[in-house]
Amino acid sequence: MMAKKTDPQSSEHPAEENLALLKVIELLESIYCTDDLEKIKVAVKDGQPGIEPRARTEIYKILRFLLEEAGFQKAFLELRETIHTASERVDSLLSEMTRGDLGQFLAQGTLQTRYEKEHPAPKKCAARFVAQNLLNNRKKSPVQQSPISCFVQASVTSIHLACELTDSHVSLAAGSLFYTNSIAFPLILLQQRDDISVYTLCGTGYDSLCGGWYPDREDQDAREHLQSLFNREKNPLQEAILTPIAVAATADHVDLFFTRQEIVEMVNIMVDCSSRLILMAFRSRIFNSRDEATQNFMNTNLYQVKSTDWNSKNEAPILVVADDEKDIRTEQEWKETVKRLSDQGFEVYWQDAQSKWHQTKRPRDRQPTESPQK
């Protein structure tokens, strides 16, 4: 917001938002006046841009000095600690409210119902794993931390991901950059972090199932813009976090499916342009063939991402698969599915029925690694 300019001929009448500051400064002047305070007073009267934080800082310094001179240093420090503690408790409460009740962000309807009732446990589990193990900088020193730069596809699972990224166990490096077509992801993340950026990619279409915008079939400009985000010279996006509604793994190929062709066209761009793909899913959404996936979604149209040689990717795409009780395969059958995913080029992090996580790399990348965190 631009600061209001004040008429030089009426400097005695500062902008309305600065009147309170001016009254405090004049009160301090009656007790203790400094050259800096006088300069601040003139700047407030003139309505100089950016004067408010400078004025508050100067007022704070003088008040602290006066309290210390009067022998109230201990009381001042205790008051400051009390305010700091109260602020932390409010932040924690807001964070818990965000993770536990999204009513303030999600209107009653399809999206909120899906968030609350459609596979909430495995979706949250997959999102937590991505947040804590693939996007977390907490294990690195401040010097080693590098900002994240990625696109997050709109989905119910991405809402869970936004909640998990506000958790105290997750550390995002300052300067991290997110783009998303989700309506909820920015609202959740930005209320907790003022040192990262979240931008939205909009379109004329809106999908109430996932809470996301999408460009229509004729909007070539939007698709070119999405492509440019990954290809630009300055701060390009590196990762794409996707949530396919179904994944079909055979001995010859792995296919990804979404519920709209417009979303598939966006995903096709990210498959081509991103340095690393991260897919979030759960076990009953991983199938052994396209026919099996189609039969499972008889009342839903499935649109397939273009055929891709996943083994040709320099960095293996990552598939994070949480356990869920609706998967009726035996552990051996599931391990065979995981092997097909791995052989076709995916690095798979998957959860067994005892909630333990395992990692399987594609053959050319296989080497001894520590088990990922639970």
Side-chain angles (χ1 to χ4, degrees):
M1 180 181 293
M2 295 182 63
K4 294 182 179 178
K5 292 185 178 180
T6 306
D7 185 346
Q9 296 181 354
S10 59
S11 60
E12 296 301 317
H13 302 283
E16 183 177 349
E17 58 265 34
N18 288 337
L19 283 175
L21 276 177
L22 188 59
K23 289 179 180 178
V24 173
I25 291 171
E26 290 174 344
L27 177 61
L28 279 177
E29 276 187 323
S30 66
I31 305 171
Y32 183 80
C33 187
T34 66
D35 290 341
D36 287 339
L37 187 63
E38 182 62 29
K39 292 176 183 178
I40 290 291
K41 178 181 177 181
V42 172
V44 170
K45 283 187 175 183
D46 290 344
Q48 290 183 9
I51 187 57
E52 182 179 348
R54 289 170 50 205
R56 292 181 183 278
T57 299
E58 186 64 26
I59 290 170
Y60 173 82
K61 286 166 53 180
I62 292 175
L63 283 174
R64 179 173 181 174
F65 172 76
L66 292 174
L67 287 168
E68 290 177 354
E69 285 290 301
F72 292 111
Q73 181 179 10
K74 182 179 179 181
F76 173 79
L77 294 175
E78 290 176 349
L79 176 62
R80 187 175 65 173
E81 182 64 27
T82 300
I83 293 173
H84 177 70
T85 301
S87 177
E88 283 189 333
R89 288 177 179 173
V90 170
D91 288 344
S92 177
L93 178 61
L94 286 173
S95 181
E96 288 299 321
M97 288 174 62
T98 300
R99 287 192 291 273
D101 180 12
L102 294 184
Q104 56 205 17
F105 298 129
L106 304 183
Q108 290 290 333
T110 304
L111 184 60
Q112 187 179 41
T113 300
R114 293 191 69 217
Y115 175 82
E116 293 174 348
K117 298 182 179 180
E118 189 176 295
H119 306 280
K123 288 178 179 178
K124 181 177 181 178
C125 190
R128 178 179 296 162
F129 185 91
V130 170
Q132 293 188 357
N133 295 279
L134 302 181
L135 303 181
N136 190 12
N137 276 303
R138 185 169 295 280
K139 292 182 179 180
K140 300 178 181 179
S141 70
V143 176
Q144 293 176 316
Q145 287 187 0
S146 57
I148 293 165
S149 181
C150 71
F151 189 97
V152 179
Q153 175 225 334
S155 66
V156 171
T157 311
S158 72
I159 297 176
H160 287 285
L161 178 63
C163 294
E164 294 301 326
L165 288 173
T166 67
D167 189 271
S168 60
H169 294 95
V170 176
S171 175
L172 293 177
S176 290
L177 171 65
F178 294 89
Y179 271 81
T180 183
N181 62 321
S182 168
I183 63 168
F185 189 89
L187 294 171
I188 298 169
L189 201 52
L190 288 177
Q191 76 150 341
Q192 298 292 329
R193 296 293 300 266
D194 58 4
D195 58 349
I196 65 174
S197 299
V198 184
Y199 293 92
T200 53
L201 181 75
C202 299
T204 57
Y206 174 72
D207 186 349
S208 61
L209 290 175
C210 67
W213 291 289
Y214 59 84
D216 63 38
R217 301 293 299 278
E218 307 302 321
D219 193 352
Q220 184 60 26
D221 289 342
R223 286 186 285 277
E224 289 178 357
H225 173 62
L226 176 59
Q227 186 173 8
S228 72
L229 296 176
F230 289 92
N231 295 336
R232 62 190 181 187
E233 291 186 7
K234 185 178 180 181
N235 199 17
L237 300 184
Q238 300 293 327
E239 297 161 320
I241 301 178
L242 308 175
T243 316
I245 193 170
V247 178
T250 70
D252 300 322
H253 53 83
V254 173
D255 295 321
L256 311 180
F257 298 93
F258 294 82
T259 56
R260 288 185 179 272
Q261 183 60 39
E262 294 88 350
I263 300 298
V264 165
E265 292 177 8
M266 294 173 61
V267 171
N268 284 338
I269 292 171
M270 291 183 267
V271 168
D272 284 339
C273 299
S274 64
S275 299
R276 182 171 73 156
L277 285 175
I278 299 175
L279 280 63
M280 298 185 292
F282 45 94
R283 283 172 57 161
S284 61
R285 292 286 175 86
I286 311 296
F287 301 95
N288 296 324
S289 68
R290 178 191 175 93
D291 288 342
E292 188 178 302
T294 303
Q295 290 170 10
N296 189 81
F297 292 98
M298 293 184 65
N299 298 320
T300 304
N301 291 326
L302 296 184
Y303 297 91
Q304 183 178 335
V305 172
K306 67 179 183 178
S307 181
T308 302
D309 179 7
W310 303 106
N311 269 308
S312 67
K313 298 288 183 183
N314 290 330
E315 189 163 355
I318 293 174
L319 177 60
V320 176
V321 188
D323 179 48
D324 70 303
E325 59 186 16
K326 292 192 176 182
D327 181 35
I328 61 174
R329 278 170 288 205
T330 66
E331 285 298 297
Q332 183 56 41
E333 289 172 333
W334 170 247
K335 289 178 181 179
E336 292 172 0
T337 301
V338 171
K339 184 178 185 304
R340 288 197 299 274
L341 288 162
S342 174
D343 289 343
Q344 292 303 315
F346 281 82
E347 180 175 338
V348 186
Y349 293 89
W350 59 278
Q351 193 181 35
D352 63 24
Q354 286 72 45
S355 299
K356 182 179 179 180
W357 285 95
H358 305 266
Q359 177 184 5
T360 304
K361 291 193 171 188
R362 61 182 174 184
R364 71 176 186 176
D365 295 334
R366 282 179 184 162
Q367 54 186 349
T369 58
E370 295 181 4
S371 297
Q373 291 181 3
K374 201 172 176 181

